[in-house]
Amino acid sequence: MSKIVFIGGGNMASCLIGGMLANGFSKRDILVGEPGESARQRIESTHGVNSTDDNLSAASAAEIIVLAVKPQILGAVAMSLAPALSHQPTIISIAAGIPVSALQNWLGEGLKIVRAMPNTPAMVQTGATGLFASQSLAPEEKNIVEKMFGAVGYTCWVENEALIDAVTAVSGSGPAYFFLVYEAMQQVGQELGLDSKTATQLTLHTALGAARLALDADTSPSELRQQVTSPGGTTQAAVESFQDQGLEEIFRTAMTSAVDRAKQMSTDFAS
Ligand SMILES: NC(=O)c1ccc[n+]([C@@H]2O[C@H](COP(=O)([O-])OP(=O)(O)OC[C@H]3O[C@@H](n4cnc5c(N)ncnc54)[C@H](OP(=O)(O)O)[C@@H]3O)[C@@H](O)[C@H]2O)c1
């Protein structure tokens, strides 16, 4: 029996499998169900795990099933798996916006369902994943879920399902916000005379250093900011400009849009 079956062998499945194998999971315990031949070849050659185009037989042999397909097709894929789940495997869905209620409708009532919201830095094992369980998991089940996602970075559990949309808005979509800031700082750095490589390296090392400093310090972000802001200095001039232009409100509006979109996806793809 393969303990952990991934349905969908794309980017996120590959990130998770890579992290899991680097953190003590065995290739023999992982199987990938994926219809695309090239995706199957890619995942087999990258990670040395087995794959199959037969989702149903893969699911029937699983202790844990990770649903790693796009939200648009999750309903059809989940319904096709339902006949293979009488042995009550734990289901983990990483799809944005698809609620437990829809998954239960498609897969069958009574299954233990975990919603996980990872992010793409999982590729370099510095991801952040929010987890929600539809019903309480046995300690060993909770432990294995934490180990799977802990293999690719930070994990936390949230107490109610609505908070998964908040996790989506903060960390699921979050890497793109930082890439947007990276793009802007790199561009303006060049306009100020730096060459592209220098502007890029200075921006990225500043992001890395700021994150490391904040993670290591037992200090609020506003205190950290004040520590690097001398009165009347250059940082103060820039920070006041951001604040005058309503930076916090810009983030509030953007992240609320991400939550609204997650809710809309639940209507579009799960009703
Ligand atoms: N990427 C992110 O940042 C991120 C973050 C958090 C959560 N997620 C969630 O992760 C999930 C997967 O995203 P992804 O970026 O990994 O997408 P992806 O790279 O497109 O991977 C999905 C894979 O599923 C395959 N597939 C299609 N139909 C299938 C079927 N019937 N059975 C099994 N596999 C099938 C696809 O094959 P084809 O290409 O041949 O169709 C593709 O290889 C999504 O639900 C997304 O919301 C992604």
Side-chain angles (χ1 to χ4, degrees), residues 6 25 34 36 49-50 59 66 92 111 117 119 136 142 183 189 195 200 207 209 217 226 230 239 269:
F6 284 81
F25 284 81
E34 159 68 60
V49 295
N50 288 321
V66 183
I92 303 175
L111 290 167
M117 180 47 57
N119 65 9
S136 62
K142 201 168 180 184
E183 211 177 323
D195 63 70
T200 298
Q226 278 155 24
S230 326
V239 167
F269 306 134

Side-chain angles (χ1 to χ4, degrees), residues 91-109:
I91 308 289
I92 303 175
S93 166
I94 62 170
I98 307 294
V100 164
S101 57
L103 292 160
Q104 280 170 338
N105 280 342
W106 296 329
L107 295 162
E109 299 291 329

Side-chain angles (χ1 to χ4, degrees), residues 6-15 32-40 42 52-53 55 67-74 76-77 80-81 93-98 116-121 123 168 171-173 175 265:
F6 284 81
I7 300 295
N11 295 319
M12 201 38 86
S14 186
C15 289
V32 179
E34 159 68 60
E37 197 178 336
S38 58
R40 279 204 309 281
R42 197 165 46 244
T52 175
D53 62 359
N55 283 349
L67 299 172
V69 297
K70 293 285 188 200
Q72 292 86 325
I73 63 163
L74 183 53
V77 171
S80 73
L81 292 177
S93 166
I94 62 170
I98 307 294
M117 180 47 57
N119 65 9
T120 50
M123 283 180 213
T168 306
S171 54
S173 303
M265 282 166 77

